[in-house]
Amino acid sequence: MKNTLLDIVNISKVYRMGEITVEALQNISLKIYEKEIIVILGPSGSGKSTLLNIIGGMDKPTSGQVYFYDQDLTKLNDQGLTRYRRKEIGFVFQFYNLIADLTALENVELAADLVENPLSSIEALKKVGLDQRKTHFPSQMSGGEQQRVAIARAIVKKPRLLLCDEPTGALDLETGKKVLSLLRKINEELQTTIVIVTHNSAISFMAHRIVRMGSGKIIEIKENQNPVLPERIEW
Amino acid sequence: MKILFIKLIRTIWKTKGQFLAMVSIVTIGISIYIAITTGFYNLRHSRDIFYQENNFADYYFQVIKAPEKITNKIEALPEVQKVSGRIQQDVPVIKNDKKRGTARLTSYNLPIDKAVNRIQLLNGRFFDENPLSGDIEVMIDPQHLSANNLSMFDKITIIADEKQVPLTIVGTATGPEFTYLIKDAATLVPDPQKFGVIMIPTIQAQKILKMDGQINQIIVKFKPGIDQEKAAQKIEKILEPYGNLASFPREQQLSHAALQGELDGLLTTSRFLPVLFLLVAAAAQFVLIRRMVQNQQTEIGILKALGYSGRSLIIHFTGYALLVSVVGIIAGIILGLIFASAISDLYAQFFNLPAAIGGINVKTIIYSIILSLSTGIIAGISATLSIVKINPAESMRLKPPVVRSHSLLEKWPWLWQKIDTSWRMGLRTVNRNRIRSTITFAGVVISVALLVISMFMNDSIDYMLDQHFNQEVNYDFMVRFSNPVKNSELGILYDIKGVNKVEPLLEIPVKIRYKDKRENALIIGLIPTSGMQFPVQKNGHKLSIPEEGILLNEQTAKKLNVTVGDVITVEPLINKTKSKTRELKIMGINHQLMGGNSFVSLKQANQLLNEANTANGAMLKADRGKFSLIEKELSNITGISSISSRQSERDNFMSMLDSLIYFIGIMLTFAIILGFAIIYNSSILSFNERRREFASLQAMGFFKRDISNLLLKETVLEAAPGIILGLPAGYIMAHSYVKSVSTDLYSMPVVISPLTYFLAALGGIIFVLIGHYWGIRRLKDLNPHEVLKNID
């Protein structure tokens, strides 16, 4: 029996852009279980980023509920959502978004300072294999290295849910694979639930479950009985 | 090009807060420039016309008595253009309320047209030299008339030659030497109720002062371009047999010196303040436009790819600075002209200048336009030169993170390790944006220094008042006698009810010589144990009065180039027949904020006059509740020529300070606007360029207040040193300001109280916080999902 970490119940999201209304999400329901890697696949405009925003507590649905265990995220105010992100969520972005004025280690420390019982920052850097480059600034590192620092920064808080938005989108194939292996390793070692949003279907081979989206709707949810090691994925 | 202009207008609309902040700095700079420079030109123009129309004298010669015809001999000198001989003497006035005042009786011959220091009739008519009624007709200055509620054909009574003489007022008039009417250098502000000028026919003055055919003052206008000092020496030689008491050039004439001091102050302020504001405005524009160019690299690349030249884009971005200047100029001119007319009105009240003082100075306006446009253009072009180097193809690619480097502090890891991560971010940001941080820092220094300067005058004046009215003098009344009296006769003053203590005083105008230098001075003889007047040193410590020798005034000592231990020659200028020139040793140097008196013991003073136990004045200590009664009683004693009350002198001084409040208020407002604008600009820039970074922090779980604190730390790193350094900078600026406006007659101490420093620092903290939070107020709209959007 799998434990549900996040239960998304019939949510919709409508954006009003001037005189046009855009239905970014339409009646979406999805359960995310503990310890799984789930890949949300879809072309741009399919609503996957909107869904990730809502899961990550950065946006609220127009209707429907999102339960994190028993807590309904749609009932939380700004402060409550910030607390939720602080404690439960780790983010990895396509363009890394490291703080340019901080070194690798300091970027990790910045996140560690937010929670009560974080990993040691240097441990987190070790996990991503960058402890030797702790005093480097983002401008002194390659894209792959920056993304690994971003992952260290995300996991140092020991979040229960790691959200990755096109984590390999700005990287070449080899570097991208290294980043995905690192995510898998984290899932195994720290038992962190990982949600990866991407338009790259190859990545879905490493997932336990695959969610396919299109035009604001879930098209299919597929169990992957035999996840492939990221090193073997090609695209 | 039209499209680029539309883009410029949209950019301004988007950054309207920053645009207005910079416009306000330019506006303030320009308005100060226009107001003060217009005030300066108007005042100087009005003065010059007045001086010229009325043959303002170049040199003054005071004698005991000389025949009227002596003027012919002086006029014959080749250097001399015009000479007038007249009687000028201070006489007691018995006012309507029976209290005493002093009038400067000044005589004129009709027709007045050719006289040096001619007077202009303001109201009523000129006096008749020998009216049929047998009255003595006079004109008085308008201030004295209105302060004492007098009207035409009223009588005023003076005491001359120990007799009461009624005079009939037939008009009011003023002259170039009466623009700022004060009795002596020790009185800083006019007291029209107690002091005025009476203009009288010479023949009548001679009659009532028993000086038939005689004059006691010769005023001279020289031909242009001659050596005035040499000419003055020739005249002194001619006057030698008549007791040449004193001679001084126009620069030492009291009302001229006051007017000149004001003009000098205006000129200094007009050169120094606007330049500060325009420099800050230029620096702020430089930073903003440079940042805009950096942020719009992609757009610039696209425009270049489309075929726009680098030059047209430089013009486009410089246009921003130019529009700041243009709007600033328009607002500055309007505000400046409003201020200018207020200043001119104030001067018209302050100085008795009949020529219209208002008016617009076109030259000033043109200068202000050139000044502001050129700073705007320079700021704009220097910030946009990098546009030329932008490569269209490169600029459209994704940019790598901006290169960061370790700051200086990181060379000491033991220190760096102790610094909190958020402070490290701040330190690195400051290190990275060195130019911007330096400009913000400098802007804060200037604003805080201006806050100090706005308030220091109040402190200095408070200090002067306290020093003079509480430390240097302790009497309640000082009376002067028409003729010297024996000390024993002072008993009559004790008989007045409420008088507790009386001390004698002997004032002697003297000429002091040392080697080839000479100076006129006033020596005051006091009993060495005096509890009424205390000569003090520069540090405020009291000096004891030596039995023998002299405590020489600092200003006099400076002019004679003497110091303690030197022996000077002192020649009394009163009782010439009996008094003796003596050599006195300088026992100390005394410092006086108001006036320039030197001190000797009463015994020493008597020796100078070859007398014993005489006094020509007395100081009284009395019961507080009986001041008014005592003043009335004193006024009834005929031998008393003048009465001054410490209380009313102080009150009069205070009443003149009311207008200072407006000045302080305006300066404070300007300083705070400047500081606010600088901090606001820097905060909004900092926030805007790192929105994405902050959004990612927010996604990570930072509260908005955490991000706000982060930004605050950066601002604090730039502003706190600025506030701290602004305090001594204010002190230095106050010093240089005072130095530039000080004259022989007027100097102001630079005193800044701890409270002023505290308030300036507090003001600094307030404008920093307001500017900061106003600058980052968009933080509340920041959304964490902004970070997920693609980088443009």
Side-chain angles (χ1 to χ4, degrees):
Chain A
M1 180 65 193
K2 292 182 215 165
N3 285 331
T4 305
L5 179 78
L6 199 86
D7 193 0
I8 298 161
V9 186
N10 204 22
I11 61 166
S12 296
K13 178 74 186 178
V14 180
Y15 289 112
R16 229 169 269 285
M17 300 174 85
E19 292 173 6
I20 309 157
T21 51
V22 179
E23 265 192 287
L25 297 175
Q26 299 172 34
N27 304 320
I28 298 241
S29 291
L30 174 69
K31 281 186 199 309
I32 296 171
Y33 303 117
E34 286 180 349
K35 300 170 198 168
E36 71 169 341
I37 295 179
I38 181 165
V39 168
I40 301 175
L41 267 182
S44 64
S46 60
K48 58 187 193 306
S49 287
T50 309
L51 182 60
L52 191 80
N53 283 345
I54 291 170
I55 295 172
M58 298 203 289
D59 206 350
K60 283 184 180 183
T62 314
S63 65
Q65 278 80 41
V66 180
Y67 294 98
F68 184 81
Y69 292 111
D70 295 335
Q71 190 173 34
D72 185 353
L73 298 184
T74 59
K75 296 266 186 323
L76 294 179
N77 59 10
D78 257 14
Q79 297 264 314
L81 283 175
T82 304
R83 247 176 242 117
Y84 163 71
R85 290 199 301 271
R86 178 178 279 222
K87 197 159 166 262
E88 313 292 357
I89 305 293
F91 265 110
V92 176
F93 308 106
Q94 181 179 3
F95 295 110
Y96 340 123
N97 288 317
L98 295 179
I99 306 297
D101 276 320
L102 295 180
T103 62
L105 183 63
E106 288 164 352
N107 261 289
V108 179
E109 283 174 342
L110 187 68
D113 286 347
L114 290 175
V115 290
E116 281 188 9
N117 188 21
L119 290 179
S120 123
S121 300
I122 194 75
E123 277 307 314
L125 270 185
K126 260 187 195 150
K127 272 202 191 308
V128 300
L130 283 174
D131 49 321
Q132 299 298 319
R133 311 210 58 177
K134 62 178 182 184
T135 59
H136 286 75
F137 285 102
S139 57
Q140 296 165 319
M141 291 187 280
S142 69
E145 286 171 331
Q146 288 186 56
Q147 192 60 302
R148 278 148 66 198
V149 175
I151 292 171
R153 182 176 70 172
I155 61 166
V156 76
K157 294 194 296 180
K158 294 200 282 191
R160 281 194 268 199
L161 186 54
L162 185 60
L163 303 178
C164 309
D165 183 25
E166 300 279 11
T168 60
L171 304 174
D172 60 64
L173 177 65
E174 284 310 309
T175 321
K177 283 205 270 187
K178 275 186 200 152
V179 166
L180 293 176
S181 302
L182 183 62
L183 290 175
R184 202 187 108 85
K185 187 175 118 190
I186 283 156
N187 171 255
E188 280 181 354
E189 289 178 5
L190 303 175
Q191 312 279 304
T192 315
T193 306
I194 297 181
V195 178
I196 300 173
V197 164
T198 180
H199 65 275
N200 183 348
S201 53
I203 294 175
S204 62
F205 295 122
M206 70 178 279
H208 300 116
R209 281 196 304 152
I210 300 138
V211 178
R212 230 174 248 288
M213 289 189 70
S215 309
K217 290 178 189 148
I218 292 180
I219 298 166
E220 79 168 323
I221 301 175
K222 205 171 85 183
E223 296 268 339
N224 184 4
Q225 298 303 333
N226 301 302
V228 179
L229 286 178
E231 299 82 42
R232 302 229 187 108
I233 300 173
E234 294 293 334
W235 63 82
Chain B
M1 276 320 209
K2 202 177 138 205
I3 297 297
L4 275 187
F5 184 71
I6 293 170
K7 180 177 175 303
L8 175 63
I9 297 300
R10 292 222 176 105
T11 310
I12 289 172
W13 183 247
K14 232 169 82 184
T15 57
K16 51 188 177 295
Q18 286 148 286
F19 185 82
L20 286 177
M22 283 177 299
V23 165
S24 67
I25 305 179
V26 175
T27 302
I28 291 174
I30 294 294
S31 65
I32 295 178
Y33 179 75
I34 289 185
I36 296 180
T37 313
T38 308
F40 171 80
Y41 281 123
N42 283 348
L43 183 59
R44 196 179 65 175
H45 182 67
S46 165
R47 177 196 75 173
D48 290 348
I49 290 181
F50 192 46
Y51 279 4
Q52 210 188 343
E53 279 178 355
N54 298 291
N55 307 323
F56 189 38
D58 292 318
Y59 233 97
Y60 294 76
F61 300 88
Q62 192 76 39
V63 293
I64 295 171
K65 227 181 231 186
E68 276 182 283
K69 287 207 176 81
I70 198 77
T71 55
N72 298 339
K73 211 168 167 186
I74 295 169
E75 199 149 36
L77 290 172
E79 294 92 344
V80 174
Q81 193 175 59
K82 237 177 236 162
V83 180
S84 290
R86 66 185 190 183
I87 291 175
Q88 187 171 63
Q89 189 162 320
D90 285 2
V91 293
V93 178
I94 302 170
K95 299 198 297 153
N96 290 343
D97 57 4
K98 299 293 169 213
K99 288 187 178 173
R100 288 293 168 92
T102 304
R104 186 149 293 166
L105 199 64
T106 309
S107 82
Y108 297 88
N109 285 322
L110 289 181
I112 204 92
D113 291 353
K114 291 200 175 127
V116 179
N117 284 358
R118 207 177 79 139
I119 45 174
Q120 280 193 354
L121 190 70
L122 298 173
N123 243 317
R125 61 169 172 83
F126 252 94
F127 47 63
D128 191 334
E129 287 181 318
N130 282 305
L132 290 172
S133 61
D135 287 354
I136 303 173
E137 293 186 349
V138 296
M139 280 111 67
I140 68 171
D141 69 275
Q143 281 79 11
H144 191 66
L145 183 93
S146 59
N148 289 294
N149 297 320
L150 293 165
S151 25
M152 293 302 149
F153 304 108
D154 277 358
K155 291 226 169 7
I156 46 171
T157 308
I158 61 164
I159 300 173
D161 199 32
E162 290 180 22
K163 279 195 288 284
Q164 295 198 2
V165 183
L167 308 171
T168 309
I169 303 168
V170 296
T172 58
T174 185
E177 62 193 313
F178 306 133
T179 51
Y180 189 74
L181 268 181
I182 47 176
K183 198 167 145 205
D184 49 42
T187 347
L188 277 187
V189 296
D191 186 354
Q193 225 195 347
K194 289 201 141 182
F195 179 72
V197 176
I198 296 179
M199 290 153 261
I200 186 169
T202 301
I203 190 158
Q204 296 290 357
Q206 287 168 336
K207 254 185 219 161
I208 58 179
L209 293 169
K210 297 260 156 41
M211 285 176 72
D212 285 340
Q214 308 279 321
I215 51 172
N216 68 1
Q217 201 177 55
I218 292 102
I219 45 182
V220 177
K221 197 153 168 48
F222 289 119
K223 284 180 183 150
I226 60 113
D227 182 342
Q228 297 200 355
E229 281 310 310
K230 262 193 194 145
Q233 279 170 22
K234 280 191 187 171
I235 298 172
E236 277 169 17
K237 202 148 235 161
I238 296 173
L239 294 174
E240 189 87 53
Y242 308 103
N244 183 12
L245 297 176
S247 54
F248 54 89
R250 180 193 280 194
E251 287 69 41
Q252 286 178 28
Q253 199 269 330
L254 283 177
S255 79
H256 174 81
L259 194 48
Q260 189 61 44
E262 191 59 38
L263 284 169
D264 291 346
L266 279 178
L267 197 63
T268 308
T269 317
S270 77
R271 285 189 179 158
F272 146 90
L273 267 186
V275 169
L276 267 189
F277 276 88
L278 289 180
L279 276 182
V280 173
Q285 290 178 73
F286 171 80
V287 167
L288 174 70
I289 293 166
R290 210 169 60 127
R291 184 57 56 186
M292 282 200 297
V293 170
Q294 280 163 6
N295 288 346
Q296 296 183 25
Q297 293 239 349
T298 314
E299 288 176 42
I300 293 168
I302 294 167
L303 288 168
K304 275 188 153 186
L306 286 174
Y308 282 95
S309 68
R311 206 180 57 181
S312 65
L313 291 170
I314 286 178
I315 292 170
H316 164 67
F317 281 96
T318 304
Y320 191 98
L322 215 54
L323 279 179
V324 167
S325 298
V326 169
V327 180
I329 289 167
I330 295 169
I333 289 174
I334 295 170
L335 208 63
L337 290 177
I338 294 171
F339 284 147
S341 88
I343 288 180
S344 298
D345 282 353
L346 202 67
Y347 281 136
Q349 283 173 28
F350 205 63
F351 296 108
N352 312 319
L353 290 166
I357 206 168
I360 293 173
N361 191 289
V362 180
K363 205 167 74 182
T364 304
I365 292 176
I366 292 171
Y367 279 160
S368 73
I369 292 173
I370 294 173
L371 200 65
S372 164
L373 284 185
S374 49
T375 45
I377 291 172
I378 291 169
I381 290 181
S382 54
T384 51
L385 277 178
S386 64
I387 287 177
V388 180
K389 287 192 220 127
I390 292 174
N391 176 315
E394 270 175 30
S395 70
M396 280 180 271
R397 271 186 226 131
L398 177 64
K399 281 166 281 297
V402 186
V403 176
R404 304 305 210 262
S405 59
H406 293 281
S407 61
L408 212 64
L409 267 181
E410 289 170 66
K411 291 194 175 134
W412 301 295
W414 53 271
L415 180 65
W416 187 251
Q417 294 306 328
K418 288 195 185 99
I419 299 172
D420 175 70
T421 313
S422 52
W423 282 109
R424 286 188 205 172
M425 273 175 83
L427 281 166
R428 291 221 183 92
T429 312
V430 169
N431 183 49
R432 177 164 44 83
N433 297 315
R434 267 169 248 154
I435 295 182
R436 190 205 304 172
S437 300
T438 309
I439 287 169
T440 308
F441 161 80
V444 174
V445 170
I446 292 172
S447 308
V448 172
L450 285 179
L451 287 177
V452 173
I453 293 188
S454 323
M455 294 183 282
F456 103 91
M457 279 200 190
N458 205 27
D459 286 350
S460 288
I461 289 168
D462 272 354
Y463 172 82
M464 278 168 83
L465 287 179
D466 176 69
Q467 194 65 24
H468 182 73
F469 290 109
N470 296 335
Q471 310 293 327
E472 290 172 12
V473 300
N474 186 37
Y475 56 76
D476 295 318
F477 291 99
M478 184 195 277
V479 294
R480 292 186 177 88
F481 308 120
S482 327
N483 289 305
V485 298
K486 286 283 169 199
N487 286 352
S488 52
E489 293 173 63
L490 294 180
I492 186 173
L493 298 173
Y494 271 113
D495 296 342
I496 299 171
K497 234 186 188 164
V499 171
N500 299 323
K501 209 176 158 206
V502 179
E503 255 184 38
L505 165 97
L506 188 52
E507 284 182 325
I508 313 172
V510 295
K511 195 173 268 175
I512 300 177
R513 287 196 181 83
Y514 181 75
K515 293 186 179 160
D516 58 338
K517 295 202 171 76
R518 60 209 175 101
E519 248 343 284
N520 285 315
L522 185 72
I523 284 182
I524 299 181
L526 298 173
I527 54 170
T529 53
S530 172
M532 304 279 198
Q533 266 205 72
F534 309 95
V536 292
Q537 283 175 304
K538 197 165 189 174
N539 58 17
H541 290 168
K542 288 179 176 141
L543 284 162
S544 54
I545 295 156
E547 286 284 351
E548 298 220 323
I550 184 169
L551 295 178
L552 196 65
N553 181 270
E554 198 183 25
Q555 297 277 4
T556 316
K558 215 184 260 171
K559 283 190 214 150
L560 293 170
N561 198 18
V562 291
T563 183
V564 178
D566 289 338
V567 176
I568 49 174
T569 310
V570 179
E571 177 198 342
L573 300 177
I574 49 171
N575 295 7
K576 289 284 257 188
T577 44
K578 207 175 166 192
S579 64
K580 277 188 174 167
T581 299
R582 278 175 186 265
E583 311 258 284
L584 293 183
K585 190 172 175 188
I586 302 170
M587 308 302 285
I589 303 288
N590 84 290
H591 177 80
Q592 241 178 342
L593 291 167
M594 300 186 198
N597 303 334
S598 298
F599 293 90
V600 295
S601 68
L602 192 65
K603 203 172 125 199
Q604 180 82 78
N606 270 295
Q607 281 169 2
L608 280 168
L609 296 184
N610 209 9
E611 293 276 359
N613 299 321
T614 63
N616 59 10
M619 297 167 290
L620 280 65
K621 196 88 190 133
D623 290 340
R624 187 158 275 275
K626 299 200 171 113
F627 283 179
S628 186
L629 279 172
I630 292 170
E631 197 171 347
K632 262 191 193 141
E633 293 255 1
L634 288 170
S635 303
N636 288 333
I637 302 173
T638 34
I640 289 178
S641 65
S642 83
I643 304 161
S644 50
S645 137
R646 184 168 61 129
Q647 185 65 39
S648 62
E649 271 176 28
R650 195 192 166 106
D651 291 348
N652 182 50
F653 201 111
M654 296 299 279
S655 70
M656 290 295 290
L657 295 179
D658 290 349
S659 60
L660 196 65
I661 291 292
Y662 297 105
F663 169 78
I664 291 175
I666 290 173
M667 282 283 289
L668 284 180
T669 314
F670 285 174
I672 285 173
I673 291 176
L674 178 70
F676 166 84
I678 278 286
I679 293 288
Y680 168 76
N681 257 344
S682 128
S683 296
I684 203 166
L685 273 181
S686 206
F687 174 68
N688 281 344
E689 73 183 24
R690 285 154 67 205
R691 267 187 97 94
R692 199 181 170 80
E693 203 170 283
F694 296 137
S696 78
L697 289 179
Q698 227 186 339
M700 214 190 285
F702 272 69
F703 289 111
K704 281 180 181 158
R705 59 159 189 277
D706 298 330
I707 298 168
S708 163
N709 285 341
L710 214 66
L711 277 159
L712 182 63
K713 281 174 183 168
E714 278 177 34
T715 304
V716 166
L717 282 172
E718 293 165 344
I723 293 175
I724 294 166
L725 216 76
L727 302 176
Y731 179 81
I732 292 167
M733 274 154 81
H735 256 289
S736 56
Y737 175 77
V738 163
K739 206 173 162 195
S740 75
V741 299
S742 284
T743 63
D744 281 355
L745 288 171
Y746 298 92
S747 90
M748 198 186 212
V750 178
V751 176
I752 303 177
S753 71
L755 182 68
T756 293
Y757 283 126
F758 172 76
L759 289 177
L762 188 72
I765 291 169
I766 290 171
F767 74 61
V768 166
L769 290 180
I770 296 176
H772 172 77
Y773 284 112
W774 192 249
I776 65 162
R777 70 192 189 287
R778 292 267 160 264
L779 178 65
K780 68 177 193 298
D781 308 327
L782 187 71
N783 246 315
H785 54 250
E786 278 183 34
V787 77
L788 294 173
K789 286 177 199 149
N790 285 347
I791 290 173
D792 38 45

